[in-house]
Amino acid sequence: MANRSNRNEAESETQVASTARTSPAAETEQRETPLPWAQLSALLAVRLAEPVNLNLCTPFLYEMVKSFDIVKQPEDVPFYAGLLLTSYSFCQTMVAMYWGVLSDRIGRRPTLLIGLAGDLVTFVLFGLSKSFTWALVTRSLNGMFTGNSGVAKTVLVEIADDTNRPRMMALLPLLWNVGVIAGAALGGLLANPVTQYPNIFGSWEIFRVYPYLLPCLVGSFTTATGLLIGLFKLKETLVVQPPPSAEETQSATATESTPLIAGSNVRPPQKQSIMSLLTPMRKRVLLTNVVMWLALAMYTTMYPMFAASPTRDGGLGFSTRGIGISLAITSIIVPYIQLVVYPAMVRKYTTLKCCQTGLKVLIPVFFAIPFLSVLAAHIERILSDSQFATLPVPNTWLSHAGLEYGALWALLLTLLLMRMLGDVMAFTSINLIVSNVAPSAATLGTINGIQQMATSWMRIIGPIGAGALWTWSVKHKLFYPFNSHLVWMILALLSTVAWRLSLTLPESVNIYQPGQAARASSDRSDDESESDQ
């Protein structure tokens, strides 16, 4: 039986792959279908809520924890702050797959609306925190309700067609980057408004009692908007095959085993178990995605530490402002890459080729970034000032290290832009591929839920691993590559592993298989109808 199943799967992949090879040319002849913004708005709100909620509290978390009675001395603050940060991702990881399973059973629309409503309430409740226990419980619940972002991805795939699916999937990483930046900005600018803006909020007693409520209220605006749009505009996209009617059952030829009561042997379609969904090919797809997310989670933590660390520890010695400028400049190009460059690349090549190309771009970028510390140390020796990046254009470097300082920023921005290009191509493609390999629309939510759970684990492991490895390498100061280059070498290695895994994937991953299954089922129904006539 197992051999027959494997043969059937191989034949199916071969058949779909033959379609995949001809699909890019066919797609270029089709006009792209306009994006369904009425449906899309609620889905984008779900996707935007996750990075906003994840990053909004990071600027004020230290001060918030310090105000709780649980902290006895300042050295305890990082430990409890770390618990709050980890609780969000941990709870999100624990429930992500079950949100997908629930959406396959009760439908996409109610699952999304439940998640949006829970996200809205728990996020506001977190802003009302006056104790560590309250903050931990509400933060954990908020992570649980934002675990349904995989369901939003499922609906997005289902409402798309072959002409606009790449552009719609490109919106997901775009919103993630926007949410990360917007969340941190809101948290830093709006926390404790009575102290920061006494002329405006000095008389607002509620913000004096709850100094972190305002950023949570503003941050939840997107969620509230998505909930309202979802209530009135979001339509159900899950199509469940109904069981045969009593008339259809009675029309069948009666035998000795035919029940006396018509329809008594009718059973609803059987749901596939999770293990049966994880075929070898789908396991390779998910493993590729997991390795990519581990590298991304490590990089997201690593770059600010690397940029802020002194040059003697292998860093750049940048100030907070210098780090912000480098991230802001590279973020400007993200919408153009995701909404213009990527869809054109997919139409010209294939989704799998774009994923592989993006991963190949990331490998040399991670390898090269730590070498910038050598140039930064040289500039520091010239200026004899470790805070040379305090201003975008310090007066001192114009007369002393203008060429070197300009070269440092040119090289850094070039590498960061290349990383952004590789990131967009690789992650947008793997999101498409994960949805493409689902066997049917009925299992699409479960597949995306498994992906969400697995990648959420990487968002827990990645930052912890990157921080521990960086601290260890800086303390021990061993020989290359076990010095400050160690984490960056691991990032390059992970990208290489993901690239090698992507080479094992068949061409069939370029085709949206749930759509193929639906069309095949429709063709069979038409053939049966014609034969009956």
Side-chain angles (χ1 to χ4, degrees):
M1 292 293 292
N3 291 335
R4 188 182 302 116
S5 175
N6 291 335
R7 283 198 302 272
N8 291 339
E9 181 182 349
E11 291 171 0
S12 174
E13 290 181 8
T14 304
Q15 184 178 7
V16 177
S18 64
T19 308
R21 285 189 289 269
T22 61
S23 60
E27 287 181 5
T28 57
E29 298 175 0
Q30 298 177 0
R31 179 175 297 178
E32 182 176 306
T33 305
L35 300 184
W37 287 108
Q39 289 271 83
L40 203 53
S41 301
L43 306 178
L44 299 184
V46 175
R47 185 57 177 169
L48 187 61
E50 183 182 358
V52 169
N53 293 4
L54 183 64
N55 290 275
L56 184 137
C57 68
T58 52
F60 62 75
L61 194 61
Y62 187 92
E63 294 298 326
M64 172 187 263
V65 172
K66 194 165 67 172
S67 67
F68 296 149
D69 294 336
I70 196 171
V71 177
K72 304 302 180 184
Q73 51 188 357
E75 290 78 9
D76 295 334
V77 174
F79 171 74
Y80 291 106
L83 285 180
L84 284 180
L85 286 174
T86 306
S87 65
Y88 179 93
S89 297
F90 180 79
C91 290
Q92 185 186 58
T93 303
M94 291 294 98
V95 302
M97 184 177 65
Y98 299 103
W99 279 112
V101 174
L102 182 66
S103 75
D104 286 338
R105 292 183 177 177
I106 69 172
R108 318 296 193 209
R109 184 176 184 273
T111 304
L112 285 174
L113 294 180
I114 291 171
L116 283 168
D119 176 21
L120 177 63
V121 173
T122 54
F123 198 41
V124 174
L125 289 177
F126 177 73
L128 298 173
S129 299
K130 297 295 290 182
S131 69
F132 179 79
T133 302
W134 180 280
L136 182 64
V137 171
T138 54
R139 180 75 172 164
S140 300
L141 289 173
N142 190 237
M144 291 175 63
F145 282 108
T146 56
N148 71 346
S149 59
V151 181
K153 189 187 305 178
T154 299
V155 179
L156 189 145
V157 172
E158 289 173 337
I159 66 176
D161 58 31
D162 293 339
T163 65
N164 61 14
R165 188 173 292 113
R167 190 178 299 275
M168 291 175 69
M169 293 300 290
L171 292 171
L172 298 181
L174 171 63
L175 287 173
W176 178 270
N177 290 323
V178 170
V180 167
I181 297 171
L186 287 174
L189 294 173
L190 300 180
N192 202 356
V194 174
T195 302
Q196 289 202 72
Y197 313 105
N199 294 333
I200 301 175
F201 297 102
S203 60
W204 291 64
E205 186 63 24
I206 187 172
F207 294 134
R208 189 183 304 277
V209 178
Y210 303 106
Y212 309 108
L213 176 60
L214 181 60
C216 292
L217 287 174
V218 176
S220 64
F221 176 78
T222 301
T223 307
T225 303
L227 180 60
L228 290 174
I229 295 174
L231 285 171
F232 296 103
K233 296 292 185 180
L234 188 61
K235 299 176 182 178
E236 182 57 62
T237 59
L238 177 64
V239 178
V240 179
Q241 196 71 20
S245 63
E247 291 77 7
E248 292 173 340
T249 306
Q250 289 175 348
S251 65
T253 304
T255 66
E256 291 182 358
S257 61
T258 301
L260 296 177
I261 302 176
S264 61
N265 66 336
V266 175
R267 292 182 175 86
Q270 296 296 314
K271 294 289 184 180
Q272 285 185 266
S273 67
I274 292 175
M275 292 308 298
S276 67
L277 291 174
L278 296 178
T279 61
M281 186 267 290
R282 294 188 190 107
K283 287 179 181 178
R284 293 198 301 273
V285 170
L286 292 172
L287 181 59
T288 304
N289 195 12
V290 164
V291 175
M292 290 168 58
W293 263 99
L294 177 59
L296 177 63
M298 292 181 69
Y299 171 82
T300 303
T301 302
M302 186 60 209
Y303 176 72
M305 290 193 300
F306 164 74
S309 297
T311 55
R312 65 176 180 274
D313 292 333
L316 297 179
F318 278 13
S319 67
T320 302
R321 187 175 181 181
I323 297 171
I325 290 172
S326 67
L327 293 174
I329 292 175
T330 54
S331 298
I332 295 173
I333 199 67
V334 173
Y336 178 76
I337 296 175
Q338 291 182 323
L339 300 180
V340 179
V341 176
Y342 178 77
M345 293 288 289
V346 170
R347 285 194 295 269
K348 185 174 182 180
Y349 303 102
T350 64
T351 305
L352 181 58
K353 290 296 183 184
C354 287
C355 180
Q356 294 166 349
T357 302
L359 290 170
K360 285 194 291 185
V361 169
L362 292 174
I363 296 171
V365 169
F366 290 143
F367 178 81
I369 284 179
F371 287 98
L372 294 177
S373 178
V374 177
L375 181 56
H378 174 67
I379 297 172
E380 187 173 307
R381 286 193 296 271
I382 295 176
L383 300 179
S384 299
D385 180 8
S386 62
Q387 298 299 318
F388 65 87
T390 299
L391 296 174
V393 186
N395 295 328
T396 50
W397 73 259
L398 288 172
S399 56
H400 295 84
L403 180 62
E404 292 88 345
Y405 191 78
L408 173 64
W409 273 92
L411 290 172
L412 176 63
L413 293 179
T414 299
L415 289 172
L416 292 180
L417 287 171
M418 288 178 62
R419 192 209 70 85
M420 190 65 71
L421 175 63
D423 183 77
V424 169
M425 294 186 67
F427 281 90
T428 307
S429 298
I430 199 65
N431 283 333
L432 276 167
I433 290 172
V434 170
S435 298
N436 285 350
V437 300
S440 66
T443 57
L444 192 57
T446 302
I447 291 292
N448 278 315
I450 295 172
Q451 179 207 29
Q452 181 72 17
M453 183 183 71
T455 56
S456 294
W457 273 111
M458 296 305 102
R459 292 209 297 269
I460 298 173
I461 297 172
I464 296 174
L469 287 170
W470 175 256
T471 302
W472 181 86
S473 62
V474 168
K475 280 184 176 180
H476 291 80
K477 297 186 182 299
L478 299 177
F479 54 88
Y480 178 87
F482 299 102
N483 54 3
S484 58
H485 290 241
L486 177 61
V487 181
W488 296 104
M489 294 297 290
I490 291 176
L491 288 174
L493 178 62
L494 288 172
S495 298
T496 303
V497 170
W499 171 65
R500 293 290 299 175
L501 285 170
S502 71
L503 295 178
T504 68
L505 300 179
E507 289 294 323
S508 60
V509 300
N510 293 310
I511 297 298
Y512 181 51
Q513 294 184 20
Q516 293 283 318
R519 284 191 288 271
S521 176
S522 176
D523 292 342
R524 284 195 299 270
S525 299
D526 293 341
D527 293 341
E528 291 173 1
S529 176
E530 291 176 2
S531 63
D532 290 342
Q533 293 176 359

